[in-house]
Amino acid sequence: MAEARTGTRVPAPGGIGTGPGRLLVTLYAVFTIGAASRSIYQLSTRFDEAPLAYVLSALAALVYGFITVALVRGGERARVLAVGCCVAELAGVLVVGTWTVLDPAAFPDATVWSNYGMGYLFIPLALPITGLLWLRRHRNPADRP
């Protein structure tokens, strides 16, 4: 990132949150707000109904938030953090998605990742894959094969 004369950080040209990366930032921001608001409401009003589902939704919101911040921040350290969070997100979607298919009774209410994100048009499944592809494209040139 470069610094403007005002001392504020401005994204470097071609950074991970610029160009098509802005769409990823927007989607992750929307999912952060959606998952966080949903989980806060559910945890505060209906925790006893499906605690596992609501805690997992809160975890998803945290992961989405970390990815959003990393994409906006840019730089190699942020890219590495975003890659780790995307891997964790993909693992969460696959584990929770499979779990909800094999044992639906374990989840009396849906999470963001239930049935691989079917309630959200499978965007929770596609988002980390797209994010990982985008972040791979923007890795440090010294690390490329």
Side-chain angles (χ1 to χ4, degrees), residues 11-109:
I16 59 177
T18 61
R22 287 185 183 177
L23 178 59
L24 274 176
V25 170
T26 302
L27 287 171
Y28 272 114
V30 167
F31 269 78
T32 300
I33 293 165
S37 59
R38 176 183 175 171
S39 66
I40 289 168
Y41 171 77
Q42 291 170 326
L43 287 169
S44 63
T45 62
R46 302 175 14 202
F47 180 76
D48 56 326
E49 293 176 24
L52 178 60
Y54 303 151
V55 169
L56 286 172
S57 287
L59 177 64
L62 286 173
V63 172
Y64 293 145
F66 278 119
I67 295 170
T68 303
V69 170
L71 289 171
V72 169
R73 185 156 174 84
E76 185 58 19
R77 293 173 86 190
R79 190 193 70 77
V80 170
L81 173 66
V83 166
C85 287
C86 282
V87 168
E89 176 191 3
L90 182 57
V93 172
L94 294 174
V95 168
V96 173
T98 302
W99 192 356
T100 56
V101 168
L102 297 177
D103 186 14
F107 293 88
D109 201 355

